Amino acid sequence: MIKLNDVEIKLDKYPDGTFLFKDIPPIGPKNLIEWFFESMEEMSAIIYLTQYCKDHGTKIYLDMPYVPDARMDRVKKRKEIFTLKYFAQIINLLNFEQVEVLDPHSDVSAALFNKVHVESPNRMIEDTVKKIASDNLMMFYPDAGSMKRYSSAVHLPYA
């Protein structure tokens, strides 16, 4: 899902599969594009919306909580494609005022983007734990890396 200034953009299509943009919300001097990733197909919509805002001489910010291709943060074999690098290059070409991401897969993800701001998930984790807290609350982590990364956000009385 994509939002422009807090309004969801409907991604209608022509019969040939290309996007038909209509009912675009008003833009101002500063505009926020939020990309709640569902598919890479949305990438072209991000490009079109960004260029539309630029054509109107405005500043554009991108909030992209999930970083597509983040798991391909290194190449191990010669015949692999460093998709994260190329994805970041495309985002960088759009020249956003700021790109905000939430808890990227690795430091490599954040390092490849220009003007990036990394949002920590700790506050969300703390808030969620407070909402569901009980005497027998237990946190499970899928691996040692995630335990190291997220356990500092959780302050259980007997962890």
Side-chain angles (χ1 to χ4, degrees), residues 14-85:
Y14 287 104
D16 67 354
T18 57
F19 287 121
L20 166 62
F21 291 93
K22 51 186 178 180
D23 301 323
I24 300 299
I27 58 174
K30 292 183 179 180
N31 298 281
L32 175 63
I33 296 175
E34 297 171 280
W35 183 9
F36 303 98
F37 180 83
E38 292 176 354
S39 75
M40 283 307 290
E41 181 183 40
E42 296 165 326
M43 179 72 164
S44 57
I46 295 294
I47 293 168
Y48 295 141
L49 284 170
T50 302
Q51 293 307 113
Y52 171 78
C53 290
K54 284 184 179 186
D55 282 352
H56 290 82
T58 67
K59 294 184 181 206
I60 308 106
Y61 298 80
L62 177 64
D63 182 2
M64 181 176 58
Y66 176 77
V67 177
D69 291 316
R71 277 145 188 81
M72 190 58 174
D73 60 0
R74 63 186 52 87
V75 176
K76 296 177 184 172
K77 298 177 184 170
R78 186 173 178 200
K79 293 184 179 183
E80 292 178 339
I81 296 176
F82 193 0
T83 55
L84 174 61
K85 175 183 172 185

Side-chain angles (χ1 to χ4, degrees), residues 116-134:
V116 71
H117 175 263
V118 176
E119 182 70 26
S120 168
N122 288 356
R123 190 184 83 251
M124 288 181 265
I125 294 170
E126 288 173 8
D127 291 347
T128 302
V129 167
K130 285 176 187 174
K131 285 179 185 175
I132 63 171
S134 68

